Amino acid sequence: MKKNITSAVSTIYKLVSPLVKRKAKKISFFSFPDASDNSWHLYRHMAKRLEGHHFVWLTNEPPSTKLKNKINLVSKKNSNKVTIAKKNSLLGIYHFATSKHTFHTHGTYSFIRKKSDTTLINLWHGMPLKNIGLLDNKSPDDICYSDILVSTSPLFSKILSAAFGVSSEKIFHLGLPRNDVLAASANTDRKLIAEKFSFWEGNKFVAWLPTYRKSVIGDIRQDSKTSSFLDEWEPRILDEINQLAKAREIHLIIKLHPMDSLNREFEYEKFSNIHIFTSNSWEDLNLDLYDFLSVSSGLISDISSVLIDYQLTNRPIGITVNSITEYKRGIIEELNFEENFKSFKISKIDDFDIFFQACKSDINFEQGSVNYNKPIGSSACDSITTLLSIS
């Protein structure tokens, strides 16, 4: 039934679309969560540097006052216009259809099947370590249509080509907008970000960003034998980690993935040096994740694209290896990730202490034999706007 409805809407859109006039300086953005990730960073760049454009945010949920304030604040000092509309509404589809360029991180509309006068740019939400799209046995009908994709290196261009079933000519090695802040992290105002946290006393921040094992929104699935990252450890592991963090004068910030089932069912103790944020409580901080990462002293994660991004900081990276052994979807073989990616392997409590000591040392972390972020000479945001002749 859903496939038939999508096909019917696609046919109607193809008939009506040629009658709609695209506006040269109208640009639409999609992301998940709303106003986040690569789309957010590109919008933030464009809104500050362009004049006379009409920016449209198409949201998954009815836009809250908080979201409207966040989006409008970026553009309030110039001549750009900003519109926020619910994605799945006639108004949302109208704004999409009249935009010259559309950027997204997770897809646009399922009824878009081939090129129209609107140029669709897939920024995605990080270079994939795990199988996605066709590599994850998805149907071609499940793949979001895009005219252009961006990657961080020729290796990932090849992987995206296979995952999305597109020719290499459609994929451009430009870097990811969200990574611009990591590449220029020396320019970030650490104190301004640190003051978002009431517990900050000048100590170092270390980020722990576990990906979901069991999702409850978006693409509903269970990718691991376990239901959460905590299931891979002994019951009192956080107590022990907290003592190590306290001794090393480190604050460990654990932020849950937006799709993680723990966002709905997680009850946890209060710790002196471990601070756990659900998706909602992080949103309450009004702090972009990558702005935070730019001032962090180290990163712990698992099968997550943030590992690739964080290479740009030259700071310590730790991987919880138990997550890899329990993971069901599979890592993309062509990456040779476990062999080529340099990291601290964390499988027991003592490994956390070794990692915390590395984060305290302030030395450049030696990268592995493969750098998955090939330098391109200018920021990703600048490269994307130049490619599309947006001015």
Side-chain angles (χ1 to χ4, degrees), residues 154-331:
L155 173 59
F156 275 115
S157 292
K158 187 176 180 181
I159 290 170
L160 291 177
S161 177
F164 289 99
V166 299
S167 64
S168 58
E169 290 79 12
K170 296 179 65 173
I171 304 175
F172 294 85
H173 166 213
L174 303 175
L176 301 182
R178 72 186 191 187
N179 287 353
D180 284 352
V181 70
L182 297 183
S185 59
N187 301 325
T188 306
D189 188 337
R190 173 182 169 82
K191 185 176 180 181
L192 188 65
I193 292 173
E195 287 176 347
K196 294 278 187 178
F197 302 103
S198 60
F199 49 79
W200 181 65
E201 299 173 350
N203 294 343
K204 291 182 178 293
F205 292 129
V206 171
W208 187 352
L209 304 180
T211 193
Y212 64 88
R213 309 303 192 258
K214 176 183 177 184
S215 63
V216 291
I217 57 175
D219 185 9
I220 306 299
R221 59 192 302 155
Q222 180 145 353
D223 282 339
S224 175
K225 296 176 183 177
T226 60
S227 294
S228 83
F229 75 103
L230 287 176
D231 292 341
E232 297 158 2
W233 301 93
E234 294 297 321
R236 305 302 297 177
I237 188 67
L238 291 182
D239 289 288
E240 296 182 62
I241 296 173
N242 184 64
Q243 292 305 312
L244 294 175
K246 186 175 182 179
R248 300 296 177 188
E249 298 182 312
I250 280 173
H251 283 290
L252 180 63
I253 313 296
I254 302 177
K255 180 195 171 296
L256 301 182
H257 190 283
M259 295 167 61
D260 199 322
S261 60
L262 288 181
N263 283 296
R264 294 183 177 178
E265 58 191 41
F266 197 21
E267 294 184 6
Y268 53 88
E269 300 176 49
K270 297 290 185 180
F271 298 98
S272 62
N273 287 64
I274 296 179
H275 313 278
I276 302 172
F277 291 87
T278 64
S279 190
N280 286 338
S281 61
W282 183 268
E283 185 180 336
D284 290 340
L285 288 177
N286 193 26
L287 174 62
D288 180 80
L289 176 61
Y290 274 61
D291 288 342
F292 164 67
L293 288 178
S294 72
V295 303
S296 63
S297 297
L299 169 72
I300 301 171
S301 193
D302 38 69
I303 315 295
S304 173
S305 60
V306 70
L307 296 171
I308 303 298
D309 302 341
Y310 204 75
Q311 277 192 321
L312 291 166
T313 68
N314 293 316
R315 296 171 198 156
I317 298 173
I319 296 180
T320 53
V321 295
N322 294 338
S323 61
I324 297 177
T325 59
E326 297 294 324
Y327 200 74
K328 294 193 297 186
R329 197 194 309 185
I331 300 175

Side-chain angles (χ1 to χ4, degrees), residues 44-61:
R44 199 164 68 170
H45 174 91
M46 289 181 169
K48 292 178 180 178
R49 288 164 176 78
L50 300 178
E51 294 284 346
H53 282 70
H54 184 182
F55 298 117
V56 179
W57 274 97
L58 298 170
T59 63
N60 301 289
E61 301 295 332

Side-chain angles (χ1 to χ4, degrees), residues 101-135:
H101 297 97
T102 294
F103 297 93
H104 69 88
T105 63
H106 289 71
T108 56
Y109 293 101
S110 60
F111 57 77
I112 302 298
R113 287 287 180 258
K114 66 177 184 178
K115 181 174 174 58
S116 64
D117 289 338
T118 299
T119 301
L120 306 181
I121 303 95
N122 184 352
L123 302 173
W124 204 234
H125 44 284
M127 294 297 96
L129 301 182
K130 49 200 172 193
N131 290 315
I132 62 168
L134 300 178
L135 299 176

Side-chain angles (χ1 to χ4, degrees), residues 40-101:
W40 172 253
H41 283 272
L42 184 59
Y43 163 72
R44 199 164 68 170
H45 174 91
M46 289 181 169
K48 292 178 180 178
R49 288 164 176 78
L50 300 178
E51 294 284 346
H53 282 70
H54 184 182
F55 298 117
V56 179
W57 274 97
L58 298 170
T59 63
N60 301 289
E61 301 295 332
S64 64
T65 300
K66 181 189 297 185
L67 184 69
K68 291 177 182 178
N69 290 340
K70 174 184 177 180
I71 293 171
N72 287 320
L73 182 64
V74 174
S75 284
K76 73 175 185 177
K77 294 183 179 180
N78 54 29
S79 62
N80 296 314
K81 178 182 177 182
V82 180
T83 298
I84 306 168
K86 195 169 185 304
K87 169 187 172 181
N88 292 322
S89 67
L90 289 176
L91 181 61
I93 294 172
Y94 164 77
H95 282 301
F96 168 78
T98 54
S99 295
K100 178 62 178 174
H101 297 97

